[in-house]
Amino acid sequence: MSVTAFTPHRPWTSVGVYLTGFTLRRGWGATEGAVGLWLWSGPGLLHPCSGSVSVWRDEEGLRGFVARPDHVRIMRAYRDRGGIRSVTWRTDRFERAATRERARSLIEEWCTRPAPRT
């Protein structure tokens, strides 16, 4: 499982982030090991926050996605424009409700605190 969040330093950056997220989503299902994906965005015009919750068959699938050229290009383009947070964990069995609850808790925490500046 993987949960990510991007919090831009400037609100107008969020428009590009949303668009690139949807672009990445189109080819996501063809990625080896991909099982499920939820894109999300938090409320707030002045302090937007968005990201994804993804389910993978194995760690290699996640690493393969992260290393894809389109993902690398997008991450490089936005790395100085906001803060990124991510958490991964393993489970023996996918449980939708437990995954959703853990993701919701992380997202609420991340979207109520400013993104770290690097």
Side-chain angles (χ1 to χ4, degrees):
M1 311 294 170
S2 173
V3 179
T4 63
F6 180 81
T7 307
H9 297 313
R10 294 182 175 82
W12 53 85
T13 302
S14 62
V15 175
V17 171
Y18 296 146
L19 293 175
T20 57
F22 283 110
T23 300
L24 275 176
R25 182 184 71 168
R26 280 188 282 187
W28 184 88
T31 304
E32 182 67 32
V35 175
L37 173 71
W38 299 296
L39 295 180
W40 61 269
S41 63
L45 293 175
L46 295 178
H47 302 288
C49 189
S50 63
S52 66
V53 179
S54 56
V55 180
W56 300 91
R57 191 171 35 241
D58 51 37
E59 204 170 322
E60 290 77 29
L62 173 59
R63 278 190 262 144
F65 172 75
V66 170
R68 276 182 20 185
D70 57 345
H71 184 263
V72 170
R73 185 181 66 252
I74 289 167
M75 294 303 292
R76 286 181 181 157
Y78 284 94
R79 69 176 160 207
D80 296 330
R81 298 179 189 186
I84 184 101
R85 296 174 171 114
S86 68
V87 170
T88 62
W89 70 92
R90 293 181 186 187
T91 62
D92 292 330
R93 203 179 98 181
F94 174 67
E95 294 182 22
R96 183 182 182 113
T99 299
R100 184 171 266 174
E101 184 54 38
R102 185 165 180 190
R104 185 185 324 268
S105 175
L106 289 165
I107 291 165
E108 286 176 4
E109 177 186 340
W110 291 341
C111 290
T112 56
R113 290 189 290 154
R117 285 196 179 255
T118 55

